[in-house]
Amino acid sequence: MTGGGYRRLDVHERRAQLLEVGTELFSTHSFEELSMAQIAREAGISKALLYHYFPSKEEFFKAALAEGAAELARLTAADESLPPVEQVRASTRAFVSWIGQRGPAYMKLLQSVGSVPELRETMTAIRDATSARILDGLAPESERTPEKRAAVRGWLWFMDGVLLDWIEHKDRDAGAVADGLVDSLLALLDV
């Protein structure tokens, strides 16, 4: 074979390629709209090879989501040199900016959550960990009440609504959206 021909990818390269294709497809289609055959076609491989890497569409979707979540975790990691409120503000700004670059994908993700029970469990675990991290950072241990825990968890759901409105209307900048979200959280917690 001469230039431009088929090149066999190693396992890690192939998996990364498939997750990149999956991330793109799931950003434009909901979970229900895609089949493994479509995904394989888009990736330029056989359906059997796709099943070799991911035993089901659910597993493929969860792996693509995990890639995005890992990237987001890196971007929103707290800067320990900042005061707690500023850590939340910086993390929220990074999150809103990231979502702003992926608006349609975020909308599709929220649509897909209801279709995949394991995804609901994953999202719940992420929200639980995030709310605990926020509450631990903003409230002294003696003030971490069930009411404040519920307020932070509710705020995370509220955030989805605000972000969906922002994506739909595109009538505010990311910094204003992030600051409004943090201000609402601080009001809820009376910080």
Side-chain angles (χ1 to χ4, degrees):
M1 271 185 137
T2 59
Y6 174 79
R7 180 173 88 81
R8 184 179 178 101
L9 300 177
D10 77 19
V11 172
H12 299 294
E13 289 174 318
R14 176 65 71 194
R15 183 174 170 79
Q17 180 234 1
L18 292 174
L19 289 173
E20 184 177 317
V21 168
T23 299
E24 179 63 31
L25 287 172
F26 286 122
S27 73
T28 56
H29 300 81
S30 68
F31 178 81
E32 303 85 16
E33 294 170 338
L34 288 173
S35 68
M36 289 294 268
Q38 289 171 290
I39 295 166
R41 265 194 310 278
E42 288 291 325
I45 62 169
S46 70
K47 194 165 81 167
L49 184 57
L50 180 58
Y51 276 112
H52 171 76
Y53 284 91
F54 303 98
S56 68
K57 186 170 73 166
E58 290 83 0
E59 290 300 317
F60 184 63
F61 186 68
K62 287 186 336 189
L65 179 63
E67 287 288 309
E71 176 187 354
L72 186 56
R74 285 189 300 277
L75 291 173
T76 62
D79 180 348
E80 301 287 329
S81 70
L82 297 173
V85 170
E86 292 309 310
Q87 288 179 32
V88 171
R89 196 170 298 281
S91 292
T92 303
R93 284 182 181 152
F95 179 74
V96 170
S97 177
W98 190 82
I99 293 298
Q101 297 167 14
R102 295 161 180 79
Y106 185 68
M107 293 176 84
K108 289 296 182 181
L109 170 66
L110 293 179
Q111 290 173 359
S112 297
V113 168
S115 304
V116 184
E118 297 87 0
L119 181 56
R120 279 193 307 273
E121 293 167 10
T122 300
M123 292 291 285
T124 298
I126 290 169
R127 286 182 192 278
D128 288 348
T130 302
S131 63
R133 191 175 85 192
I134 290 169
L135 193 57
D136 290 351
L138 293 178
E141 191 170 350
S142 63
E143 295 177 22
R144 294 179 199 153
T145 63
E147 292 80 12
K148 286 188 178 185
R149 182 193 64 233
V152 174
R153 290 176 83 188
W155 177 77
L156 291 172
W157 289 102
F158 169 76
M159 181 186 273
D160 286 337
V162 169
L163 292 173
L164 289 173
D165 178 80
W166 176 56
I167 292 164
E168 178 184 348
H169 296 285
K170 297 177 179 71
D171 54 1
R172 297 189 291 160
D173 81 359
V177 172
D179 288 343
L181 285 166
V182 173
D183 291 346
S184 67
L185 171 65
L186 298 176
L188 279 170
L189 296 176
D190 196 23
V191 174

